[in-house]
Amino acid sequence: MADDTLLKLAEVLESRKHADPDTSYVAGLYQKGLDAILKKVGEEATETVIAAKGGNADQLVYETADLWFHSLVLLAHQGLGPARVLAELERRFGLSGLEEKARRGQAE
């Protein structure tokens, strides 16, 4: 179910690349370019941290949704989608965090 939601959202975000920036928030972000998108991702990450520190579960979920949304905008802007991220998470599934980190060090 969650994969479907991410993939549907990715399709919408892709379609916004051709939308009018005056009528689409996402099209406006795309038009402003990478730096504007990165700024939004940074803002949303900060707001997510603040919400977590505040201890309000609903606010944390809301801010995390904003962070994920803007991360998907970033991926789409870079020609990527959630399938790549989901595949990477699947690759890591079953590995301990320490084991995964050690493997990254060997690949560099």
Side-chain angles (χ1 to χ4, degrees), residues 19-89:
D20 180 355
D22 292 330
T23 61
S24 168
Y25 169 75
V26 172
L29 278 177
Y30 289 145
Q31 183 182 49
K32 290 175 187 172
L34 181 60
D35 286 346
I37 296 168
L38 292 173
K39 182 178 177 185
K40 281 305 295 181
V41 171
E43 288 172 8
E44 298 304 341
T46 300
E47 290 172 4
T48 300
V49 169
I50 292 168
K53 291 289 285 181
N56 181 319
D58 290 337
Q59 190 65 30
L60 177 57
V61 168
Y62 181 87
E63 296 299 345
T64 301
D66 281 351
L67 177 58
W68 287 14
F69 176 85
H70 287 89
S71 295
L72 288 169
V73 171
L74 172 61
L75 287 170
H77 185 267
Q78 299 293 83
L80 302 168
R84 292 273 303 265
V85 177
L86 292 170
E88 176 61 18
L89 289 171

